[in-house]
Amino acid sequence: MKDKQEMDVVNHPEHYNQGKVECIDAIESATVNKNGLEAVCVGNVIKYLWRYESKNGLEDLFKAQWYLNKLIECVKGDTL
């Protein structure tokens, strides 16, 4: 059985808990009327921007940019 500290790392990682809102709750709200690839891209942009300062820095910014560019491509081509 996992101890409380180990569970917190899984269920509420520090890099996703900043301020008063947990990242997963922000993603849930931001994607409520989105489906499929659109929801994935929006969620990942939020995730990577949310954590970049406390996890992977510039790498996470590039990942967010990749998902944002993919979202733009899909919206422009209406492939969502």
Side-chain angles (χ1 to χ4, degrees):
M1 181 156 206
K2 296 180 180 180
D3 63 17
K4 183 168 174 41
Q5 183 179 11
E6 202 174 343
M7 291 297 291
D8 288 342
V9 171
V10 171
N11 294 307
H12 304 288
E14 190 174 307
H15 56 273
Y16 289 128
N17 285 285
Q18 300 169 14
K20 296 179 182 180
V21 178
E22 192 167 348
C23 184
I24 192 70
D25 297 323
I27 291 171
E28 183 178 27
S29 293
T31 59
V32 73
N33 293 316
K34 293 169 180 54
N35 296 300
L37 188 56
E38 181 182 19
V40 170
C41 289
V42 169
N44 281 329
V45 168
I46 293 168
K47 173 181 75 172
Y48 288 121
L49 290 177
W50 197 282
R51 74 180 202 185
Y52 84 93
E53 291 177 302
S54 52
K55 192 156 186 202
N56 296 321
L58 192 57
E59 179 183 327
D60 279 347
L61 292 176
F62 283 127
K63 289 177 182 180
Q65 183 180 38
W66 189 93
Y67 280 101
L68 181 57
N69 289 338
K70 185 67 172 176
L71 177 61
I72 291 167
E73 286 176 25
C74 291
V75 170
K76 282 170 69 173
D78 199 30
T79 60
L80 297 175

